[in-house]
Amino acid sequence: MGGKTIFLVAEQGLGDTINFVRYAPLLVARGAKVILGVQKPLEDLACTVPGISGVLVDGEKLPDFDLHCPMLGLPIAFKTDLASIPANIPYLQPYHGRLETWRVRLPQTGRMRVGIVWAGNSAHVNDRKRSIALERFAAILSAPGIDFISVQKDVSAAQSAILDAHGVLQLGQHFTDFADTAAVVAMLDLLVAVDTSVAHLAGAMGKAVALLLPFSPDWRWLLNRSDSPWYPSMRLFRQPAFGDWETPLQLLRQELSDAASRPGRQP
């Protein structure tokens, strides 16, 4: 593999790209020159993956390369099992300039900062199961002593009104790409999210994540466990029965309240 140029290609959703681009540095460590092909919203963020030689997006001229592989084929190529999932985290980083841009917009109260994402891409085949109506998700927003910050990209007028009623700072609608999202996530104490790309981003950055999962989740989250071998900084809050979001949301609200009241505000 030494001296070969390998083109790694995104093939599914944004979260999948974030999840599996972790394998790129492993190829670099074996002497390969690695070029990434990613979705446009991930272009700038993907440039922070350690050791890569370039990033392309759809429509750009393909480079010369010796080998290519879809990113979700990399676990097979590396013969990955539960014990050998690469945990080279963080493998995505915020840009200093983006941090400075968003820092001034974040609350400076000294309280715990918690980002929220309640819905994924509505075109996803399982979105009805994984996303939570904001009216239900808002059960956690009454936890005291917390500055809640919405990093949800798409927010309707009705949802914005709900967020305003709970005093939630709305930033996600103003993000231009995932490099903006990464900058804000970097300055949070915790991200609370459903199974969507921002949860993968926070996990890839080594940030604390509380992930809300449906009773029958995506394969990578496995079953009957509250941790994830993909993201060591993530805790999983699962539905105990189909459609039951109240149980994990109430548990999470209590844990948020407890965390906010502790010295040091450890999530």
Side-chain angles (χ1 to χ4, degrees):
M1 193 174 294
K4 298 289 187 181
T5 297
I6 301 178
F7 184 39
L8 300 182
V9 187
E11 58 174 321
Q12 296 189 33
L14 296 167
D16 294 303
T17 302
I18 293 169
N19 192 171
F20 293 102
V21 77
R22 71 179 65 210
Y23 284 89
L26 303 186
L27 293 168
V28 173
R30 286 160 171 76
K33 177 181 177 181
V34 177
I35 300 172
L36 304 178
V38 303
Q39 300 93 331
K40 180 64 176 176
L42 295 175
E43 181 178 16
D44 283 353
L45 180 67
C47 290
T48 72
V49 175
I52 63 161
S53 298
V55 174
L56 279 75
V57 297
D58 289 346
E60 293 186 326
K61 185 175 188 267
L62 290 179
D64 293 329
F65 55 86
D66 300 297
L67 303 164
H68 68 91
C69 182
M71 289 189 191
L72 271 71
L74 290 167
I76 298 173
F78 277 88
K79 297 180 172 58
T80 303
D81 58 20
L82 281 179
S84 62
I85 289 175
N88 50 325
I89 291 170
Y91 55 88
L92 293 173
Q93 303 284 348
Y95 288 97
H96 177 75
R98 302 280 187 117
L99 288 170
E100 295 309 308
T101 296
W102 290 101
R103 192 185 309 279
V104 297
R105 301 185 64 171
L106 288 170
Q108 307 296 327
T109 62
R111 304 198 305 177
M112 187 175 170
R113 292 174 179 163
V114 175
I116 59 170
V117 180
W118 61 89
N121 182 350
S122 60
H124 190 282
V125 65
N126 285 321
D127 190 63
R128 179 179 58 85
K129 295 179 181 178
R130 66 173 183 166
S131 293
I132 306 174
L134 182 56
E135 292 82 356
R136 300 177 78 180
F137 187 94
I140 71 168
L141 300 180
S142 60
I146 295 174
D147 290 321
F148 285 101
I149 299 156
S150 171
V151 291
Q152 180 84 37
K153 177 63 176 171
D154 296 317
V155 179
S156 69
Q159 291 169 336
S160 182
I162 293 172
L163 296 174
D164 282 341
H166 286 87
V168 177
L169 176 64
Q170 302 179 52
L171 296 182
Q173 302 99 303
H174 308 292
F175 295 161
T176 57
D177 60 15
F178 272 78
D180 282 335
T181 313
V184 172
V185 166
M187 294 182 280
L188 300 175
D189 294 297
L190 172 71
L191 176 75
V192 176
V194 296
D195 181 8
T196 189
S197 54
V198 184
H200 286 282
L201 171 61
M205 294 172 62
K207 299 294 294 184
V209 184
L211 184 67
L212 291 152
L213 290 177
F215 181 67
S216 179
D218 181 74
W219 62 269
R220 81 197 77 207
W221 307 123
L222 307 172
L223 297 172
N224 303 316
R225 59 190 297 168
S226 61
D227 65 329
S228 169
W230 295 101
Y231 301 113
S233 62
M234 184 178 284
R235 280 191 60 201
L236 311 181
F237 291 77
R238 300 174 181 270
Q239 285 185 340
F242 183 78
D244 178 6
W245 285 120
E246 283 69 25
T247 298
L249 284 169
Q250 288 303 320
L251 174 61
L252 181 53
R253 184 197 177 282
Q254 185 58 55
E255 294 207 11
L256 286 171
S257 298
D258 293 344
S261 66
R262 286 198 298 264
R265 307 189 322 277
Q266 292 300 314

